[in-house]
Amino acid sequence: RGDHSPDANRTHPTLRAALAVAQPGTTIVLLDDTLDEPAIPTLGSKSKDGLTDCTIESGSPSKPTTWKVSGNSHSVSSALEFQGLSGLTVSGLTIDCNRQCRFGVSILGYCPGLTLKNGTIRNCEMAGLRIDNAAGDPIKPIRLEGVRVSATSDKPLMAGILITASPTMPNKSIQIANGRFDGPGTAGDSIAGPLQDIEIVNNRFD
């Protein structure tokens, strides 16, 4: 959308519904302060072409939209899973996993230009973000900018960000900057497997 004003022809009741009809280059503006809907386990495969170069953003630049994962999402590993997407940007979204998902966000496969910025992930079971056999492009890396992961005192996390890869498929062309991990937890970033062209700078671990 080119503006943030509601329009009956362009407004959808849920984020899932908006994603289902998105076309390349679409901007999805989250007009509500809060979302209450189940996890969206896989963005990719059938939907990936429609989400090329799309943006999902809070309707208020100064106030993130809070998505509280609802429904029976315990069998789903992630609130959001990105797989094989190109150029998607998610900005100003707080994901409250509500103790229903192991991860807030998972990034898998080739996702050049995928960007998560100025968001928060909280109340997950294992790690805020999982990056597994994921790759950006040297010109269009995967970018995590200003992403905060918050654990709770009664549920320590394995890591703020869990980075894993098989020996022959390294995670590559990824930038993680200006983030924050609020423990308790075993590690801020847990890395298992090969890396290539990875930049992790100016992150805070408490």
Side-chain angles (χ1 to χ4, degrees), residues 1 6-21 28-38 40 65-68 70:
R1 292 172 43 172
D7 182 321
N9 294 322
R10 300 183 298 167
T11 301
H12 302 277
T14 64
L15 174 58
R16 184 189 300 266
L19 291 168
V21 298
I28 297 172
V29 180
L30 305 174
L31 297 175
D32 293 334
D33 292 338
T34 59
L35 302 176
D36 187 359
E37 60 181 283
I40 303 174
T65 296
T66 298
W67 170 20
K68 188 170 184 178
S70 62

Side-chain angles (χ1 to χ4, degrees), residues 11-205:
T11 301
H12 302 277
T14 64
L15 174 58
R16 184 189 300 266
L19 291 168
V21 298
Q23 299 296 315
T26 295
T27 295
I28 297 172
V29 180
L30 305 174
L31 297 175
D32 293 334
D33 292 338
T34 59
L35 302 176
D36 187 359
E37 60 181 283
I40 303 174
T42 302
L43 288 179
S45 60
K46 181 180 178 181
S47 66
K48 67 181 179 181
D49 294 334
L51 296 176
T52 297
D53 296 329
C54 286
T55 298
I56 303 169
E57 64 183 18
S58 171
S60 173
S62 61
K63 184 178 181 181
T65 296
T66 298
W67 170 20
K68 188 170 184 178
V69 178
S70 62
N72 185 16
S73 298
H74 294 282
S75 62
V76 177
S77 65
S78 306
L80 275 176
E81 182 176 294
F82 303 112
Q83 184 171 0
L85 294 170
S86 177
L88 178 68
T89 296
V90 180
S91 177
L93 179 62
T94 293
I95 300 174
D96 185 343
C97 291
N98 199 24
R99 301 288 181 85
Q100 298 207 43
C101 306
R102 286 178 289 169
F103 311 103
V105 173
S106 289
I107 302 173
L108 313 171
Y110 184 54
C111 296
L114 175 65
T115 300
L116 308 181
K117 63 181 182 179
N118 303 329
T120 299
I121 300 169
R122 64 191 187 207
N123 290 331
C124 40
E125 292 286 293
M126 187 176 293
L129 294 109
R130 175 180 62 141
I131 301 173
D132 183 47
N133 292 328
D137 181 270
I139 298 176
K140 297 176 64 177
I142 295 170
R143 295 178 56 242
L144 308 180
E145 173 69 34
V147 176
R148 181 174 184 173
V149 176
S150 296
T152 56
S153 59
D154 62 332
K155 185 63 178 181
L157 296 178
M158 175 185 292
I161 303 176
L162 179 64
I163 305 174
T164 58
S166 60
T168 58
M169 295 182 63
N171 289 294
K172 60 184 180 181
S173 298
I174 300 171
Q175 299 175 354
I176 303 172
N178 303 312
R180 178 172 175 176
F181 174 50
D182 299 322
T186 304
D189 296 333
S190 176
I191 301 172
L195 304 175
Q196 180 180 326
D197 189 25
I198 306 294
E199 183 178 293
I200 303 176
V201 297
N202 199 33
N203 294 285
R204 174 178 171 180
F205 306 103

